[in-house]
Amino acid sequence: MGLYRSHVLICGGTGCVSSGSLEVLEALKKGLAEKGMDKEILVVSTGCHGMCEMGPIVVVYPEGTFYCRVTAADVPELIEEHLYKGRVVERLIYKGEGKASDVPHYTEIPFYKKQHRIALRNCGYINPDSIDEYIARDGYAALVKALTEMTPEAVIEEVKTSGLRGRGGGGFPTGLKWSFCARSAGDKKYVICNADEGDPGAFMDRSLLEGDPHAVVEGMLLGAYAMGANEGYIYCRAEYPLAIKRLKRTIEQATEYGLLGEHILGTDFSFELHIKEGAGAFVCGEETALMASIEGRRGMPRPRPPFPANKGLWGKPSNINNVETWANVPSIIRNGGEWYAAMGTEKSKGTKVFALTGKVNHTGLVEVPMGTTIREIVFEIGGGILNGKKFKAVQIGGPSGGCLTKDHLDIPISYESLSQVGAIMGSGGLVVMDEDNCMVDVAKFFLEFTQAESCGKCPPCREGTKKMLDILTRICAGKGKPEDLEALEYLGTMIKETSLCGLGQTAPNPVLTTLRYFRDEYEAHINEKRCPAGACTELTRFIIDADKCIGCTKCARVCPADAITGAVKQPHVIDQDKCVKCGACAEACPVKAIDRR
Amino acid sequence: MQAIDLTINGKKIAAEPGMTILQAARKGGIHIPTLCEHPAIPIAGACRVCLVEVENSPKLLTACSSPVAPGMVVHTHSPRVLAARKAVVELILIRHPLDCFSCSSNGKCELQDVAYELGIKASPFTDEGDTCRDYALEDANPFYVRDMNKCILCGRCIRACDSLARYHAIDFQNRGIRTMVHPPVGKDLEHSDCTFCGQCVQLCPVGALSEKASTGQGRPWELKSVKTTCSYCGVGCELNVQVNTRTGRIANVTTDYLSPTAVNEGRCCVKGRFAWQYVHSDDRLTRPLIKENGAFREAEWAEALSLVAGRMTAIKEDFGPDAIGFFSSARCTNEENYLLQRLAREVVGTNNVDHCAHL
Ligand SMILES: Cc1cc2nc3c(=O)[nH]c(=O)nc-3n(C[C@H](O)[C@H](O)[C@H](O)COP(=O)(O)O)c2cc1C
Ligand code: SF4
Ligand code: SF4
Ligand code: SF4
Ligand code: SF4
Ligand code: SF4
Ligand code: SF4
Ligand code: FES
Ligand code: FES
């Protein structure tokens, strides 16, 4: 690599590419070449910075100036002002809480300040297509250390010491799982990376694979060495084409560098890595279904035992870990288990990546130490609720998780604390809701997803989740019966108790937690035929306040259903049978005489 | 091998290593209801009715898939188990048609048995529009009818086809509530890899798969099982012909997957299982016929056999043994063919022996 006075990092993650970062990249390269500055300034396409919603993201180093929503049209000014004259382009910089003139360094931005990036350490810093950049950031140092200085047992010990637990949702201690597979008899073993990421709204694994694919591969190499496996699979959903492209390139480069293949680094350790594209069924993320899918069978879970460590892929001992789990391993081996275990809570160590979405000011990927409170994530990193509304709930753990309330804001996040209150860590989805969200509707949304994704194998999940959805649907439509709540509780409890796999065992969680914490909302729907949040259209009424109405006729003119009648300068009336609840009248009324109830 | 001692419902049981809780319970004479399990096929753990409580295990375990361990304490009918089992059956019944009156499965239906055992009349969760599903009856082939409205998706047919018949003709399709069993997308059974061997039909625990020819031929409790050997081919499959004791006619043919005497280990082909109607055919030969002056007349076995023996001896004397040829059939058993060639070589003295497969 040559010497450059400045580095311009342009995000090449899926989010920013879709908001136009490739055009910005082209414009920058062209602009710099035209000015003859391409020898002094290096342009690098990186992985996701986690702030996709503000993309395309451009960061200029060494200053660390963080620009957002940059378009190709902004590039000439960026080159002229910042790169040539050294003056920050104020209108493009990220506006945090501070004054714009503060020009905080990347890491001083509140969104990043509270974060602690281990899994995401290279995402947004390096060009994921370059193995050299990965190596320059200590990449593959852990592999060299393990192969030359450590026995396989020592590697497992180190992972055990770190306290790392599975980031795919279950939270099973990774080192312990590895020791089972290592102990299992057999000369053929597999390691598998679970990159199915089926939770709606989750994108941490995709960002990791797109932003730092070598870390995942290095993690798998370390695991394979520790457990005595010589073949591995990355099971990645086909909807992640960029991740798959980068992974293929990663495998090519690593093979070229002698880091994959026969006799790695001249040792007896050999490892072959394949990519398997999955058709994107949620249930294929469940480990036994995933292995069935790799084998070419329909992805359906089976009972355990036998566990994968004894009988996994093609009946051979196998170990399966999540993308983020694997990505943490190189840092653990490089820095030692104790270093990792120094972060987090007593039983949940290290950091966790969350996908923060919903009604917060800053959505995106955040990596925080375990033990961080929900309040810190929502209000400090996320910058609080959108449009100054009131926080109502946070749904943690995706469709398997639960809805927590303001009373839980100060819970330090850990596997234990979340499950105590009915939620789960899951893969790290964190959806924030405000007063406009109807909790019955939210529960219904998640159940719609799980019941459609149920593999159909076992009756509780297949029939039970559909029945729960039927009941929620009728509650939202104002046709709920008082005994419905009891039925939901009974079905939910029994589905959890009797389902075969994690999908069914957790699918009722969103319903059960909202029933527990927001029961009054359910009761309002059923007993008063009223949606307190005003979100369930079938329960919504638009009513004209006769005292306020000035008879301007605006509402009657915008109504698509001809539901409004009234003479000029006389109070108007809405025919509830005709109204389709579009809300156009309420918006059109100049005196706000129309109420939504 | 050292026995594994465990306790089921307070009873000490010595299980063999590798046994499941279900197998151990059966060994000890303890009944655990099942729907998706069948000893002839691999375990699926799908139906969830065999859930049992095992002390020190926070979750209920499926007895069919959980291996026994020394010192295990199992409860198969504790209040927690019964509540869970009841819920599972209530859920299965949400969309199951209550059609037992004229269902071919009535009386041998495993779903009926479990519901009976738990005292369930109908699912409390069935809403209007839930009762029946809208699958069309599939009966284009002459052998069996598929009524997917009655299917409980236990997957036994699929596993039977995969592991016994080995045709992989059917599999689950779709997800969630629309899950169903079918040949590969876009194919009907008649154009799939299905050979109509009927393993799936026999293993179906309910009335979703039923033999066409058996319709109306008798209720399960009217049938008497007669063990016999298939008369179609030399494989010699052991079959159990189910004869209606009232009418004396065959209702259907089954096989015994656990029979220690069966060479076919319960498998058979389309002919053995479904092509038994000839037994009751008016055209069937039941007595020997002798042709005289161009016309057949019925005869006794003794007369017919002595006629054959007499003619053979005469031909041999007049033209020598090689003037006679013996023609056997691949449909005969090895033993029968063996005896025939001994008759040819030792009694008649010719090597002119052949069989139908040369035709
Ligand atoms: C329905 C279902 C979906 C799952 N989806 C995923 C997934 O997309 N990614 C993942 O890593 N784990 C998923 N899991 C968890 C896996 O079964 C498995 O526990 C995990 O991959 C193990 O890796 P870990 O120990 O590193 O977490 C899913 C589990 C269930 C029950
Ligand atoms: S719980 Fe749902 S997804 Fe899991 S095996 Fe049963 S039906 Fe399939
Ligand atoms: S909500 Fe829409 S349909 Fe209803 S009265 Fe207003 S404008 Fe008409
Ligand atoms: S399959 Fe069983 S439960 Fe269903 S209708 Fe037939 S006999 Fe009754
Ligand atoms: S009849 Fe035989 S081949 Fe056809 S689906 Fe059933 S088991 Fe398979
Ligand atoms: S057809 Fe019968 S055997 Fe096959 S899945 Fe349905 S109920 Fe089970
Ligand atoms: S293979 Fe078929 S014809 Fe031959 S004996 Fe068996 S069932 Fe009869
Ligand atoms: S894709 Fe650019 S910040 Fe996420
Ligand atoms: S018999 Fe055990 S799950 Fe069906």
Side-chain angles (χ1 to χ4, degrees), chain B residues 10-311:
Chain B
K11 183 174 178 182
K12 295 247 178 298
I13 291 171
E16 288 156 32
M19 268 191 172
T20 60
I21 296 176
L22 179 66
Q23 287 166 330
R26 283 182 180 157
K27 184 167 181 250
I30 294 168
H31 165 74
I32 300 174
T34 54
L35 283 174
C36 69
E37 183 269 355
H38 189 284
I41 51 174
I43 287 301
C47 74
R48 320 305 289 166
V49 303
C50 72
L51 285 169
V52 295
E53 197 170 351
V54 176
E55 283 181 19
N56 296 325
S57 157
K59 284 185 184 171
L60 298 179
L61 302 179
T62 41
C64 68
S65 69
S66 307
V68 291
M72 214 177 213
V73 182
V74 183
H75 304 280
T76 67
H77 286 74
S78 66
R80 183 178 169 199
V81 169
L82 287 176
R85 204 173 277 158
K86 179 161 166 276
V88 170
V89 178
E90 284 172 349
L91 288 167
I92 296 176
L93 287 179
I94 288 183
R95 294 183 304 143
H96 189 87
L98 300 180
D99 188 21
C100 302
F101 286 132
S102 52
C103 182
S104 65
S105 204
N106 188 20
K108 60 171 183 185
C109 176
E110 295 176 35
L111 177 59
Q112 220 179 31
D113 289 348
V114 182
Y116 175 77
E117 190 181 321
L118 294 165
I120 301 173
K121 286 188 183 161
S123 176
F125 299 106
T126 305
D127 290 309
E128 215 177 307
D130 274 346
T131 339
C132 288
R133 287 172 278 179
D134 46 6
Y135 297 119
L137 215 62
E138 295 169 59
D139 60 352
N141 71 79
F143 309 111
Y144 67 91
V145 182
R146 281 164 46 89
D147 181 356
M148 288 299 107
N149 301 303
K150 285 183 186 159
C151 173
I152 58 166
L153 297 165
C154 69
R156 267 158 63 162
C157 53
I158 298 169
R159 281 173 284 139
C161 193
D162 284 352
S163 68
L164 297 172
R166 298 193 176 261
Y167 289 110
H168 311 284
I170 46 177
D171 202 346
F172 289 110
Q173 239 173 55
N174 306 333
R175 284 188 195 285
I177 206 79
R178 299 261 45 145
T179 308
M180 71 174 306
V181 178
H182 210 263
V185 187
K187 282 198 174 163
D188 52 26
L189 200 62
E190 290 70 36
H191 298 93
S192 72
D193 289 342
C194 172
T195 63
F196 299 97
C197 70
Q199 316 296 303
C200 55
V201 179
Q202 179 167 337
L203 257 55
C204 181
V206 296
L209 303 176
S210 55
E211 295 100 324
K212 259 191 173 171
S214 325
T215 314
Q217 293 304 307
R219 296 290 215 175
W221 55 86
E222 294 174 318
L223 306 180
K224 182 177 154 227
S225 182
V226 181
K227 192 197 268 195
T228 185
T229 305
C230 174
S231 55
Y232 270 115
C233 92
V235 172
C237 294
E238 183 183 287
L239 304 176
N240 291 322
V241 178
Q242 307 297 323
V243 183
N244 185 323
T245 47
R246 201 164 36 82
T247 62
R249 294 174 70 89
I250 296 177
N252 66 322
V253 168
T254 60
T255 53
D256 182 357
Y257 292 95
L258 305 176
S259 162
T261 50
V263 289
N264 50 328
E265 295 175 341
R267 301 173 184 88
C268 70
C269 80
V270 58
K271 292 182 280 182
R273 187 175 298 274
F274 293 121
W276 45 262
Q277 291 78 354
Y278 73 90
V279 173
H280 300 306
S281 166
D282 292 341
D283 297 336
R284 189 178 154 202
L285 286 185
T286 49
R287 302 180 64 187
L289 300 179
I290 293 175
K291 202 175 196 176
E292 276 171 0
N293 305 323
F296 283 115
R297 70 165 169 82
E298 277 193 359
E300 295 299 322
W301 277 108
E303 186 195 359
L305 287 174
S306 61
L307 176 69
V308 172
R311 292 291 296 132

Side-chain angles (χ1 to χ4, degrees), chain A residues 116-130:
Chain A
H116 190 85
R117 300 191 144 207
I118 295 171
L120 296 174
R121 62 189 276 274
N122 287 330
C123 287
Y125 279 98
I126 64 167
N127 175 358
D129 274 336
S130 162

Side-chain angles (χ1 to χ4, degrees), chain A residues 165-174 177 193-199 205 237 282-288 290 301 304 320-326 400 427 501-504 506:
Chain A
R165 292 170 63 172
R167 299 294 189 239
F172 195 84
T174 305
K177 186 149 101 178
C193 171
N194 190 340
D196 189 56
E197 198 164 56
D199 291 21
D205 294 348
R237 55 175 44 223
F282 177 56
V283 73
C284 285
E286 195 281 336
E287 57 188 26
T288 59
L290 184 147
R304 295 167 300 184
I320 176 162
N321 278 122
N322 166 258
V323 172
E324 188 185 332
T325 314
W326 288 120
S400 324
S427 55
C501 86
L503 196 155
T506 59

